Amino acid sequence: RRLEKIYTKEELLNLYLNTVPFSENIFGIKVAAQRFFNVSPNDLTVEQAAVLVGMLKATTRYNPVKYPERATQRRNTVISQMTKYGYLSETERDSIREIPLELSYYKEGHNQGQATYFREHLRQDLEEILEDYPKPDGKPYNLYTDGLKIYTTINARMQQHAEDAVKEHMTKLQQVFYKDWKKGLPWGSTKVVQNAMRQSARYKRLKEMGLSEEDVEKIFNTPKKITVFSWDREEVERQMTPLDSIKYYLTLLNTGLLAVEPQTGLVKAWVGGIDHKYIQYDHVKSRRQVGSTFKPIVFAAALQNGMLPCEYTYNRLVTYTQFNNWQPKNANGEYGG
């Protein structure tokens, strides 16, 4: 009675639906709508909403993934109740009851959803930060169960554009790469492949089991069904040896994309690679030669030190004796102009 004096029925339902469990260790209508139908609560149809509400009687028993027939029967019971209390007409009830149960099951995890690489970077940052901020009882916070709200500067729309851009461009670039290297070995020597094999989780696991190098190599050269990343269908199952799968991944092009607001330094989009499930190395944080990216910084320094914007600078080979005879060269070895 005290609750109903403070809150309206709609507010109480809102509080309830935001916290109630829907099986599979998920809580709240928003997560449930995304998990089973891959939509937000606002976009749920009547029959979809009825499935979720029907689950609350016994979330495991009426789980639509595990027990679709039970879930359909329970959904239809809810639809009948809605008709009984005037929310649906009998015609609508009969029509909806005939709709087959259709799920769009989407289980978001570390490798699904937006900004997977950024989320992993954020997780590592947060665990470090939270070491200095224990709960009132002195226990450490749990990122997943303690209800923390974490706000970031990532812009969801820009992030989606960034991920789409990477996918579109890298798909085309990969085909160009395959065409250029169809008769060669892009990794240069077998030593690169051997090093990659020894760094793999499979190799380390086999060595921990006490297998000899000969036995390990035999396993790596035995064909089996392996699921690998593919731009065509995101992942595909192929018959190949584990060693061939390593060679395959050595031919995949990777990239990193970071969009930062210049005025504030706020990160708006972060794409650390082509697929977090198969390649978890974050190329946004990778250390690389800057190459020609550094030219504008050199030019800006020259302008700040008095060089005129229209001053003619010869393209010539120069040796800097004050820097251990450093001699920067053009890639093609040609000078002049």
Side-chain angles (χ1 to χ4, degrees):
R1 291 217 307 268
R2 285 186 61 195
L3 280 170
E4 293 196 340
K5 283 182 179 179
I6 301 170
Y7 301 106
T8 65
K9 183 65 75 176
E10 287 74 18
E11 287 171 333
L12 287 171
L13 279 170
N14 190 46
L15 289 167
Y16 172 71
L17 288 171
N18 276 332
T19 56
V20 68
F22 281 89
S23 83
E24 299 189 6
N25 199 31
I26 57 175
F27 298 86
I29 192 72
K30 182 176 181 180
V31 183
Q34 291 173 338
R35 174 70 60 90
F36 296 106
F37 299 106
N38 199 18
V39 297
S40 66
N42 289 339
D43 296 323
L44 285 168
T45 62
V46 173
E47 65 273 14
Q48 289 171 342
V51 170
L52 297 180
V53 169
M55 285 178 68
L56 299 178
K57 182 178 177 67
T59 54
T60 300
R61 178 176 174 78
Y62 295 113
N63 185 309
V65 175
K66 295 179 179 178
Y67 308 107
E69 290 185 5
R70 289 182 195 168
T72 302
Q73 292 171 0
R74 182 66 188 156
R75 177 201 70 177
N76 291 343
T77 299
V78 173
I79 295 298
S80 296
Q81 289 293 96
M82 292 179 72
T83 302
K84 179 180 178 180
Y85 290 100
Y87 292 99
L88 292 174
S89 66
E90 292 185 1
T91 303
E92 288 173 320
R93 176 199 63 194
D94 296 340
S95 176
I96 292 173
R97 283 166 63 98
E98 294 301 315
I99 297 174
L101 176 65
E102 292 185 359
L103 303 176
S104 179
Y105 190 71
Y106 180 78
K107 187 175 181 179
E108 181 162 309
H110 298 305
N111 300 315
Q112 292 83 34
Q114 275 195 340
T116 48
Y117 290 89
F118 171 75
R119 278 158 37 200
E120 175 57 20
H121 170 76
L122 184 65
R123 181 190 67 79
Q124 295 175 25
D125 265 5
L126 285 168
E127 287 187 347
E128 190 174 321
I129 291 168
L130 289 174
E131 288 179 0
D132 298 326
Y133 296 93
K135 291 194 284 188
D137 62 3
K139 294 180 180 179
Y141 277 103
N142 185 304
L143 277 175
Y144 305 101
T145 60
D146 282 334
L148 295 173
K149 290 185 178 180
I150 297 149
Y151 298 88
T152 76
T153 59
I154 292 287
N155 181 298
R157 183 172 56 85
M158 290 176 68
Q159 179 68 30
Q160 191 60 55
H161 283 316
E163 292 181 9
D164 291 344
V166 165
K167 184 175 183 179
E168 180 181 349
H169 181 65
M170 294 303 291
T171 304
K172 296 174 183 175
L173 203 60
Q174 188 68 55
Q175 294 308 313
V176 174
F177 180 84
Y178 284 146
K179 186 177 179 181
D180 287 345
W181 283 96
K182 60 184 177 182
K183 294 182 179 179
L185 299 174
W187 49 81
S189 71
T190 55
K191 187 177 180 181
V192 174
V193 179
Q194 290 296 318
N195 287 340
M197 181 187 78
R198 291 188 174 92
Q199 291 171 7
S200 69
R202 187 194 301 269
Y203 179 89
K204 293 175 182 177
R205 188 170 62 251
L206 292 172
K207 292 300 286 185
E208 286 174 1
M209 291 167 61
L211 271 67
S212 66
E213 191 70 22
E214 185 180 346
D215 289 336
V216 171
E217 289 191 8
K218 185 178 179 181
I219 291 171
F220 268 87
N221 284 286
T222 302
K224 59 183 296 185
K225 285 185 178 180
I226 296 177
T227 303
V228 295
F229 171 79
S230 170
W231 279 117
D232 297 334
R233 287 177 289 172
E234 293 189 352
E235 63 179 26
V236 64
E237 191 174 68
R238 293 180 178 174
Q239 187 79 14
M240 63 198 314
T241 69
L243 192 63
D244 283 337
S245 73
I246 289 174
K247 293 177 181 178
Y248 172 75
Y249 279 108
L250 286 172
T251 65
L252 287 180
L253 298 178
N254 277 276
T255 190
L257 184 155
L258 183 71
V260 178
E261 192 173 74
Q263 298 88 342
T264 62
L266 300 181
V267 175
K268 295 297 183 180
W270 178 309
V271 186
I274 58 175
D275 189 280
H276 190 263
K277 180 178 180 180
Y278 291 96
I279 302 165
Q280 296 180 356
Y281 182 79
D282 193 333
H283 290 78
V284 166
K285 299 193 289 184
S286 65
R287 294 179 179 272
R288 293 283 187 270
Q289 292 279 4
V290 293
S292 294
T293 308
F294 203 75
K295 288 178 180 177
I297 298 172
V298 175
F299 298 153
L303 292 170
Q304 287 179 334
N305 281 277
M307 183 178 178
L308 299 174
C310 296
E311 187 176 328
Y312 190 89
T313 304
Y314 289 98
N315 175 18
R316 58 195 175 93
L317 187 63
V318 179
T319 301
Y320 296 89
T321 55
Q322 69 272 39
F323 297 114
N324 298 322
N325 292 319
W326 180 52
Q327 193 181 61
K329 300 175 182 179
N330 286 340
N332 58 10
E334 297 177 3
Y335 303 90

PDB file of all heavy atoms in Angstrom, residues 241-255:
ATOM      1  N   THR A 241      43.825 -28.154 -41.977  1.00  0.00           N
ATOM      2  CA  THR A 241      44.680 -28.473 -40.836  1.00  0.00           C
ATOM      3  C   THR A 241      44.813 -27.237 -39.955  1.00  0.00           C
ATOM      4  O   THR A 241      44.682 -26.106 -40.448  1.00  0.00           O
ATOM      5  CB  THR A 241      46.075 -28.912 -41.304  1.00  0.00           C
ATOM      6  OG1 THR A 241      46.752 -27.775 -41.863  1.00  0.00           O
ATOM      7  CG2 THR A 241      45.990 -30.031 -42.329  1.00  0.00           C
ATOM      8  N   PRO A 242      45.085 -27.422 -38.662  1.00  0.00           N
ATOM      9  CA  PRO A 242      45.318 -26.263 -37.794  1.00  0.00           C
ATOM     10  C   PRO A 242      46.451 -25.369 -38.311  1.00  0.00           C
ATOM     11  O   PRO A 242      46.393 -24.149 -38.166  1.00  0.00           O
ATOM     12  CB  PRO A 242      45.678 -26.902 -36.449  1.00  0.00           C
ATOM     13  CG  PRO A 242      44.956 -28.213 -36.454  1.00  0.00           C
ATOM     14  CD  PRO A 242      45.042 -28.684 -37.883  1.00  0.00           C
ATOM     15  N   LEU A 243      47.459 -25.983 -38.936  1.00  0.00           N
ATOM     16  CA  LEU A 243      48.562 -25.190 -39.487  1.00  0.00           C
ATOM     17  C   LEU A 243      48.081 -24.341 -40.656  1.00  0.00           C
ATOM     18  O   LEU A 243      48.482 -23.181 -40.797  1.00  0.00           O
ATOM     19  CB  LEU A 243      49.698 -26.105 -39.938  1.00  0.00           C
ATOM     20  CG  LEU A 243      51.024 -25.397 -40.269  1.00  0.00           C
ATOM     21  CD1 LEU A 243      51.599 -24.715 -39.027  1.00  0.00           C
ATOM     22  CD2 LEU A 243      52.028 -26.373 -40.855  1.00  0.00           C
ATOM     23  N   ASP A 244      47.192 -24.912 -41.475  1.00  0.00           N
ATOM     24  CA  ASP A 244      46.634 -24.145 -42.592  1.00  0.00           C
ATOM     25  C   ASP A 244      45.775 -22.991 -42.090  1.00  0.00           C
ATOM     26  O   ASP A 244      45.709 -21.932 -42.719  1.00  0.00           O
ATOM     27  CB  ASP A 244      45.803 -25.055 -43.500  1.00  0.00           C
ATOM     28  CG  ASP A 244      46.681 -25.926 -44.397  1.00  0.00           C
ATOM     29  OD1 ASP A 244      47.837 -25.532 -44.637  1.00  0.00           O
ATOM     30  OD2 ASP A 244      46.208 -26.986 -44.843  1.00  0.00           O
ATOM     31  N   SER A 245      45.108 -23.210 -40.948  1.00  0.00           N
ATOM     32  CA  SER A 245      44.287 -22.126 -40.392  1.00  0.00           C
ATOM     33  C   SER A 245      45.172 -20.961 -39.946  1.00  0.00           C
ATOM     34  O   SER A 245      44.797 -19.796 -40.073  1.00  0.00           O
ATOM     35  CB  SER A 245      43.428 -22.632 -39.234  1.00  0.00           C
ATOM     36  OG  SER A 245      44.208 -22.862 -38.078  1.00  0.00           O
ATOM     37  N   ILE A 246      46.367 -21.288 -39.432  1.00  0.00           N
ATOM     38  CA  ILE A 246      47.319 -20.238 -39.041  1.00  0.00           C
ATOM     39  C   ILE A 246      47.777 -19.469 -40.272  1.00  0.00           C
ATOM     40  O   ILE A 246      47.833 -18.236 -40.275  1.00  0.00           O
ATOM     41  CB  ILE A 246      48.517 -20.861 -38.294  1.00  0.00           C
ATOM     42  CG1 ILE A 246      48.077 -21.333 -36.906  1.00  0.00           C
ATOM     43  CG2 ILE A 246      49.668 -19.846 -38.168  1.00  0.00           C
ATOM     44  CD1 ILE A 246      49.140 -22.092 -36.149  1.00  0.00           C
ATOM     45  N   LYS A 247      48.084 -20.202 -41.344  1.00  0.00           N
ATOM     46  CA  LYS A 247      48.485 -19.547 -42.600  1.00  0.00           C
ATOM     47  C   LYS A 247      47.353 -18.665 -43.127  1.00  0.00           C
ATOM     48  O   LYS A 247      47.591 -17.576 -43.647  1.00  0.00           O
ATOM     49  CB  LYS A 247      48.858 -20.602 -43.636  1.00  0.00           C
ATOM     50  CG  LYS A 247      50.115 -21.390 -43.306  1.00  0.00           C
ATOM     51  CD  LYS A 247      50.371 -22.476 -44.348  1.00  0.00           C
ATOM     52  CE  LYS A 247      51.616 -23.286 -43.999  1.00  0.00           C
ATOM     53  NZ  LYS A 247      51.844 -24.381 -44.976  1.00  0.00           N
ATOM     54  N   TYR A 248      46.132 -19.162 -42.978  1.00  0.00           N
ATOM     55  CA  TYR A 248      44.967 -18.396 -43.434  1.00  0.00           C
ATOM     56  C   TYR A 248      44.862 -17.066 -42.689  1.00  0.00           C
ATOM     57  O   TYR A 248      44.659 -16.008 -43.296  1.00  0.00           O
ATOM     58  CB  TYR A 248      43.703 -19.225 -43.228  1.00  0.00           C
ATOM     59  CG  TYR A 248      42.413 -18.481 -43.472  1.00  0.00           C
ATOM     60  CD1 TYR A 248      41.982 -18.181 -44.757  1.00  0.00           C
ATOM     61  CD2 TYR A 248      41.621 -18.055 -42.402  1.00  0.00           C
ATOM     62  CE1 TYR A 248      40.805 -17.492 -44.988  1.00  0.00           C
ATOM     63  CE2 TYR A 248      40.443 -17.369 -42.614  1.00  0.00           C
ATOM     64  CZ  TYR A 248      40.033 -17.088 -43.911  1.00  0.00           C
ATOM     65  OH  TYR A 248      38.871 -16.395 -44.128  1.00  0.00           O
ATOM     66  N   TYR A 249      45.019 -17.119 -41.361  1.00  0.00           N
ATOM     67  CA  TYR A 249      44.906 -15.885 -40.572  1.00  0.00           C
ATOM     68  C   TYR A 249      46.062 -14.932 -40.844  1.00  0.00           C
ATOM     69  O   TYR A 249      45.916 -13.717 -40.719  1.00  0.00           O
ATOM     70  CB  TYR A 249      44.813 -16.209 -39.076  1.00  0.00           C
ATOM     71  CG  TYR A 249      43.415 -16.607 -38.673  1.00  0.00           C
ATOM     72  CD1 TYR A 249      43.102 -17.922 -38.349  1.00  0.00           C
ATOM     73  CD2 TYR A 249      42.387 -15.671 -38.641  1.00  0.00           C
ATOM     74  CE1 TYR A 249      41.819 -18.304 -38.002  1.00  0.00           C
ATOM     75  CE2 TYR A 249      41.102 -16.035 -38.292  1.00  0.00           C
ATOM     76  CZ  TYR A 249      40.814 -17.345 -37.976  1.00  0.00           C
ATOM     77  OH  TYR A 249      39.529 -17.697 -37.643  1.00  0.00           O
ATOM     78  N   LEU A 250      47.214 -15.476 -41.251  1.00  0.00           N
ATOM     79  CA  LEU A 250      48.347 -14.613 -41.583  1.00  0.00           C
ATOM     80  C   LEU A 250      48.107 -13.840 -42.883  1.00  0.00           C
ATOM     81  O   LEU A 250      48.803 -12.862 -43.158  1.00  0.00           O
ATOM     82  CB  LEU A 250      49.629 -15.438 -41.701  1.00  0.00           C
ATOM     83  CG  LEU A 250      50.230 -15.932 -40.379  1.00  0.00           C
ATOM     84  CD1 LEU A 250      51.382 -16.887 -40.643  1.00  0.00           C
ATOM     85  CD2 LEU A 250      50.696 -14.769 -39.514  1.00  0.00           C
ATOM     86  N   THR A 251      47.126 -14.276 -43.676  1.00  0.00           N
ATOM     87  CA  THR A 251      46.802 -13.555 -44.912  1.00  0.00           C
ATOM     88  C   THR A 251      45.689 -12.526 -44.719  1.00  0.00           C
ATOM     89  O   THR A 251      45.389 -11.763 -45.631  1.00  0.00           O
ATOM     90  CB  THR A 251      46.357 -14.524 -46.020  1.00  0.00           C
ATOM     91  OG1 THR A 251      45.123 -15.153 -45.641  1.00  0.00           O
ATOM     92  CG2 THR A 251      47.406 -15.584 -46.280  1.00  0.00           C
ATOM     93  N   LEU A 252      45.059 -12.517 -43.537  1.00  0.00           N
ATOM     94  CA  LEU A 252      43.962 -11.573 -43.303  1.00  0.00           C
ATOM     95  C   LEU A 252      44.512 -10.185 -42.989  1.00  0.00           C
ATOM     96  O   LEU A 252      45.371 -10.020 -42.120  1.00  0.00           O
ATOM     97  CB  LEU A 252      43.081 -12.037 -42.143  1.00  0.00           C
ATOM     98  CG  LEU A 252      42.165 -13.225 -42.404  1.00  0.00           C
ATOM     99  CD1 LEU A 252      41.354 -13.552 -41.163  1.00  0.00           C
ATOM    100  CD2 LEU A 252      41.228 -12.961 -43.578  1.00  0.00           C
ATOM    101  N   LEU A 253      43.991  -9.188 -43.697  1.00  0.00           N
ATOM    102  CA  LEU A 253      44.369  -7.809 -43.418  1.00  0.00           C
ATOM    103  C   LEU A 253      43.613  -7.318 -42.191  1.00  0.00           C
ATOM    104  O   LEU A 253      42.451  -7.664 -41.983  1.00  0.00           O
ATOM    105  CB  LEU A 253      44.036  -6.921 -44.617  1.00  0.00           C
ATOM    106  CG  LEU A 253      44.762  -7.252 -45.917  1.00  0.00           C
ATOM    107  CD1 LEU A 253      44.286  -6.317 -47.029  1.00  0.00           C
ATOM    108  CD2 LEU A 253      46.269  -7.136 -45.751  1.00  0.00           C
ATOM    109  N   ASN A 254      44.263  -6.511 -41.382  1.00  0.00           N
ATOM    110  CA  ASN A 254      43.633  -5.945 -40.189  1.00  0.00           C
ATOM    111  C   ASN A 254      43.739  -4.427 -40.214  1.00  0.00           C
ATOM    112  O   ASN A 254      44.480  -3.858 -41.017  1.00  0.00           O
ATOM    113  CB  ASN A 254      44.290  -6.495 -38.932  1.00  0.00           C
ATOM    114  CG  ASN A 254      43.718  -7.840 -38.545  1.00  0.00           C
ATOM    115  OD1 ASN A 254      42.696  -7.931 -37.882  1.00  0.00           O
ATOM    116  ND2 ASN A 254      44.370  -8.910 -38.988  1.00  0.00           N
ATOM    117  N   THR A 255      43.025  -3.795 -39.332  1.00  0.00           N
ATOM    118  CA  THR A 255      43.064  -2.337 -39.296  1.00  0.00           C
ATOM    119  C   THR A 255      42.606  -1.844 -37.927  1.00  0.00           C
ATOM    120  O   THR A 255      42.050  -2.597 -37.140  1.00  0.00           O
ATOM    121  CB  THR A 255      42.153  -1.731 -40.388  1.00  0.00           C
ATOM    122  OG1 THR A 255      42.378  -0.328 -40.477  1.00  0.00           O
ATOM    123  CG2 THR A 255      40.680  -1.980 -40.072  1.00  0.00           C
TER     124      THR A 255
END
